[in-house]
Amino acid sequence: LKPQAMFRLDLIGWLLVLAPWCEQTASFVRADEQTSFQCMNPLFRGHWFTQRTDSAHLGRVPIAYDNLVRCKMWNKHESCCNPSVEVSQQRAFDSRRADFERYTDLLRAYLEDLDKIKGSATYRHTDEVQQALLDRAIDGFRYTIDLAVPCKQALVLFTAGMVCFGCDPHWDDYVWRNTEGAVVAVNIAGEACIYVDQRCGDFGRAAAELEEQVMDSGLAKLPSMPLPALSMFRHRESTCKWLREDLAMQPLPGFVQPGAIAPSNMKEVPSRRLQAEAGGDWTPDADTPDVVQVTSSVLPDWALQLMPTSTSLPQGVIDAMANPTPSPVPLPPPYSTSPRHALDPIFHGKQSGFRFEVEAEAPAAPGSMYN
């Protein structure tokens, strides 16, 4: 073949190799242009999008999937969740569920020690009054443990709903934000508080009575292990306060992934109350990165294998593909915001795909999650 023909063949070969790579790079740039803070809910900061491929994270922009398992109510709706982040979601759910199980684990362990005391010589040689007080405490432990079952089911439902809150690109409609962009409170619907209280109220009141029974009995105070702190379930006000200020503010415990595109001063503040001040400008700290770069020193293996051998790729082309256009850090609106809607984690928890034993609920109408 003539040199001109060989050159044309090499050029065609390069175009075939570079076409998918250039398309991927172009889509990356287009995604950057569309980036907003919709998938940067500060409550899920440890799982924000990052260029790292060795850890799961939320999406950069809302995308509709049809194969979500954990937060399946978001299938066919644009959301910040993707199949890869479901591992982290399940771990967070399991961790919270284990925390709730520890309530009854501690009660059962304490009850076992009381049963051992009742079968000991100490019990037989004590007076009848102390024996009766220990028997009453033992009965109180069994009664309280039985009441814990519906309470734990309600709490895992609430947890599932809060985990899936990270999928919502309209998260700012349900929270109070200060001028730094941090979420200071979540507007939890009163229906969710009532649902949990109706299933945890009896458990909390029984636990409070149980504490008094233990304090009245000298024998019941002999075990050295602690009792779980259950004061948040004693009445509806304390239950709602705990749900809003504790569970809702830590929906997906995790770590800040290296390379996450997060302004350094978007942090949670200790106060859980809505700040009265409004206005002011948000300015990044000196350490806040201006850009996020994705670097690579080589082409992908499939490109190297298909590469023509008679002509070398110009260095400028290699550099352009190895260093895509940097993306600017998305910034939240520089003003404080208030919620426009109330979030019902119980409702969303029942729609989710997390496994727990609850009564079946009728499926919600499409789009109802935005109401």
Side-chain angles (χ1 to χ4, degrees):
L1 295 175
K2 295 181 179 181
Q4 294 86 347
M6 291 292 297
F7 176 79
R8 291 193 186 95
L9 289 177
D10 285 346
L11 181 59
I12 293 174
W14 275 117
L15 292 175
L16 291 175
V17 170
L18 294 180
W21 182 259
C22 292
E23 182 180 358
Q24 182 179 5
T25 303
S27 64
F28 175 82
V29 175
R30 287 194 299 270
D32 280 348
E33 294 173 350
Q34 299 171 2
T35 299
S36 69
F37 76 114
Q38 286 182 296
C39 294
M40 295 178 68
N41 185 335
L43 297 180
F44 297 82
R45 180 177 177 177
H47 300 271
W48 282 355
F49 179 82
T50 173
Q51 301 291 355
R52 293 171 63 92
T53 58
D54 59 350
S55 57
H57 48 71
L58 297 170
R60 176 185 288 271
V61 294
I63 297 176
Y65 288 88
D66 60 4
N67 58 342
L68 298 177
V69 177
R70 299 296 177 262
C71 300
K72 62 182 182 179
M73 65 280 202
W74 283 101
N75 281 327
K76 303 186 186 303
H77 296 283
E78 288 190 351
S79 79
C80 299
C81 288
N82 54 70
S84 68
V85 81
E86 293 193 329
V87 174
S88 298
Q89 291 175 329
Q90 185 64 52
R91 287 176 179 173
F93 177 82
D94 292 341
S95 176
R96 285 296 192 195
R97 188 169 190 171
D99 290 342
F100 304 146
E101 290 292 343
R102 290 190 189 99
Y103 297 155
T104 49
D105 290 343
L106 288 173
L107 292 175
R108 290 192 185 96
Y110 204 102
L111 176 59
E112 290 178 1
D113 280 3
L114 294 186
D115 286 334
K116 292 177 182 178
I117 293 174
K118 184 173 182 177
S120 68
T122 302
Y123 177 84
R124 291 191 297 270
H125 291 91
T126 193
D127 60 76
E128 293 182 356
V129 174
Q130 287 299 321
Q131 289 180 353
L133 290 175
L134 178 63
D135 293 343
R136 186 183 68 166
I138 290 176
D139 292 339
F141 270 92
R142 294 195 175 99
Y143 177 68
T144 303
I145 291 172
D146 290 339
L147 291 175
V149 176
C151 181
K152 289 187 294 185
Q153 291 181 357
L155 293 177
V156 295
L157 265 179
F158 188 95
T159 298
M162 286 307 307
V163 168
C164 292
F165 182 45
C167 303
D168 198 335
H170 305 286
W171 57 268
D172 55 312
D173 288 341
Y174 300 93
V175 301
W176 282 275
R177 295 170 56 251
N178 62 14
T179 54
E180 292 183 335
V183 173
V184 296
V186 182
N187 189 25
I188 300 298
E191 292 83 356
C193 290
I194 294 173
Y195 183 95
V196 175
D197 175 69
Q198 288 176 341
R199 289 153 181 80
C200 292
D202 290 342
F203 172 60
R205 288 183 284 274
E209 185 176 350
L210 179 61
E211 290 181 10
E212 296 179 0
Q213 294 171 352
V214 171
M215 296 303 296
D216 290 341
S217 171
L219 294 177
K221 292 196 292 280
L222 290 179
S224 58
M225 63 181 57
L227 288 172
L230 302 173
S231 59
M232 60 278 200
F233 299 127
R234 290 186 179 180
H235 48 76
R236 181 171 296 174
E237 289 77 11
S238 60
T239 299
C240 291
K241 185 174 185 293
W242 178 71
L243 292 174
R244 288 168 174 157
E245 298 185 0
D246 289 79
L247 289 191
M249 292 298 291
Q250 295 181 339
L252 195 63
F255 57 92
V256 177
Q257 302 178 16
I261 49 177
S264 60
N265 62 353
M266 281 193 66
K267 56 183 180 296
E268 288 191 8
V269 295
S271 175
R272 294 291 190 258
R273 297 189 301 269
L274 174 63
Q275 297 186 359
E277 298 81 14
D281 294 331
W282 184 89
T283 56
D285 294 337
D287 296 334
T288 303
D290 294 326
V291 298
V292 176
Q293 293 185 348
V294 182
T295 61
S296 175
S297 59
V298 295
L299 291 172
D301 292 338
W302 59 266
L304 294 175
Q305 294 173 0
L306 296 176
M307 187 179 298
T309 57
S310 60
T311 304
S312 60
L313 186 67
Q315 185 63 36
V317 177
I318 295 178
D319 294 340
M321 291 189 300
N323 297 277
T325 303
S327 57
V329 175
L331 299 178
Y335 48 81
S336 59
T337 62
S338 299
R340 293 186 291 177
H341 305 295
L343 179 68
D344 189 348
I346 295 296
F347 175 77
H348 298 306
K350 291 178 179 180
Q351 290 182 301
S352 74
F354 288 98
R355 298 182 60 183
F356 36 71
E357 298 176 1
V358 293
E359 59 273 17
E361 292 287 331
S368 62
M369 63 187 69
Y370 302 108
N371 297 331

